[in-house]
Amino acid sequence: MEIDALPGRELIREGLRDLAAGRESVAALLVAVGAPRLRRAGLPIPALTFDDAEHRLYEFLARAHADSAHSRYNALIRRLVSFERACECGV
């Protein structure tokens, strides 16, 4: 699947690279959150994902940005959902 025109592609690409390398990052955790839907849309998601990715993502954000973790988490989830929808529509 070609993702060059999709919203949030840079974050998803980063997450795919980090997952493939076994790195736990914001982007990798975000891709892990969306892995089932992204796989159904045809993206090659690495086998390595993280258990409880939603909570791990929030905790990761809270460590770095305690005051704004909630809003950052919500913004990231919105970007993921936007990307997923665009994939499903074939944009």
Side-chain angles (χ1 to χ4, degrees):
M1 164 177 278
E2 184 56 46
I3 65 171
D4 286 340
L6 302 181
R9 66 192 167 276
E10 66 288 341
L11 188 58
I12 300 302
R13 278 198 181 118
E14 180 183 345
L16 291 170
R17 281 191 304 269
D18 287 351
L19 275 178
R23 284 188 296 269
E24 184 174 5
S25 67
V26 168
L29 289 166
L30 188 65
V31 169
V33 169
R37 193 170 175 188
L38 294 172
R39 281 189 185 108
R40 283 192 304 273
L43 263 73
I45 306 299
L48 170 68
T49 57
F50 299 99
D51 293 332
D52 208 15
E54 294 93 344
H55 289 110
R56 290 172 79 147
L57 175 57
Y58 187 86
E59 289 169 0
F60 196 99
L61 293 169
R63 283 192 302 271
H65 310 281
D67 294 345
S68 61
H70 187 75
S71 61
R72 287 174 186 266
Y73 177 86
N74 286 335
L76 287 167
I77 295 299
R78 283 192 302 271
R79 286 182 71 189
L80 173 63
V81 170
S82 179
F83 183 86
E84 291 168 336
R85 288 180 180 161
C87 281
E88 292 167 349
C89 291
V91 175

